[in-house]
Amino acid sequence: MEIEVNDSLMRFFEHCQKFVALVEENKTATHQVDAFKKGPEMRRVLEKVASVLCLPADELNADLIQVAFLTCSYELAIKNMTSPWCSLFNEEDAKVLEYLNDLKQYWKRGYGYDINSRSSCNLFQDIFQQLDKAVEESKRFLALWVRQRVQDTFWEL
């Protein structure tokens, strides 16, 4: 059986023009994310990382800090090793950076906008259709198997 990849189902947020216009290309769609990046929590993390790296704080920004944190996270999760990037952060920093990512996901992919939940309807419709199809095919297989067993029993008599 060959598996068919349907990008319009799996990456629906890239193929829905209304979503792209209302969320992806809308500069105000993530205003709360942008505000958090400039807030005191992120400023504290940024200044701490800048101090550890012996850099002026104005040479770093929230996006660079987030890249370093995600690199640490991925190497820990995928390679099961502690990345040198992890030494830049403590548990409190991790909570701030995880919140930043959660906030971004809320507005970009979660409940932040009504269209976010509606754009996945086609995916779930397809999943349920595939499940219904699998159930029907297994029922046909079971019916054939039962019929064959009845015929085998009849011929044995």
Side-chain angles (χ1 to χ4, degrees):
M1 179 172 93
E2 190 172 321
I3 297 174
E4 179 184 331
V5 176
N6 185 341
D7 276 347
S8 65
L9 287 175
M10 298 305 293
R11 300 192 57 83
F12 50 85
F13 47 86
E14 290 178 354
H15 299 279
C16 174
Q17 294 305 314
K18 189 172 182 181
F19 173 82
V20 170
L22 291 176
V23 180
E24 286 295 320
E25 294 176 352
N26 180 354
K27 298 214 184 291
T28 63
T30 57
H31 62 280
Q32 291 194 10
V33 175
D34 297 333
F36 187 79
K37 285 179 179 182
K38 295 173 184 157
E41 297 88 354
M42 275 304 298
R43 187 79 200 152
R44 183 193 55 76
V45 174
L46 191 140
E47 288 173 355
K48 181 184 152 261
V49 170
S51 174
V52 171
L53 295 174
C54 300
L55 290 171
D58 62 348
E59 288 190 23
L60 296 176
N61 61 44
D63 293 332
L64 291 172
I65 300 297
Q66 197 171 20
V67 168
F69 180 70
L70 290 174
T71 301
C72 161
S73 302
Y74 291 139
E75 288 186 2
L76 190 59
I78 294 171
K79 296 181 179 178
N80 198 24
M81 64 179 267
T82 304
S83 166
W85 292 108
C86 295
S87 66
L88 297 174
F89 308 105
N90 61 27
E91 189 174 335
E92 191 61 31
D93 301 333
K95 288 178 182 178
V96 170
L97 292 161
E98 286 172 0
Y99 180 78
L100 174 60
N101 189 53
D102 289 347
L103 191 60
K104 181 179 177 184
Q105 292 306 314
Y106 175 84
W107 288 104
K108 287 272 197 169
R109 304 280 186 262
Y111 298 108
Y113 293 96
D114 186 46
I115 193 167
N116 293 355
S117 61
R118 285 190 280 139
S119 61
S120 62
C121 291
N122 290 339
L123 172 63
F124 284 105
Q125 180 182 18
D126 184 70
I127 289 171
F128 289 124
Q129 287 172 347
Q130 296 300 325
L131 289 172
D132 288 344
K133 182 179 171 186
V135 166
E136 285 304 312
E137 288 175 3
S138 72
K139 282 181 185 175
R140 279 196 300 268
F141 173 78
L142 182 60
L144 291 172
W145 182 81
V146 168
R147 188 174 76 199
Q148 185 62 46
R149 294 294 295 161
V150 168
Q151 287 177 351
D152 290 347
T153 304
F154 176 75
W155 289 112
E156 288 176 5
L157 296 175

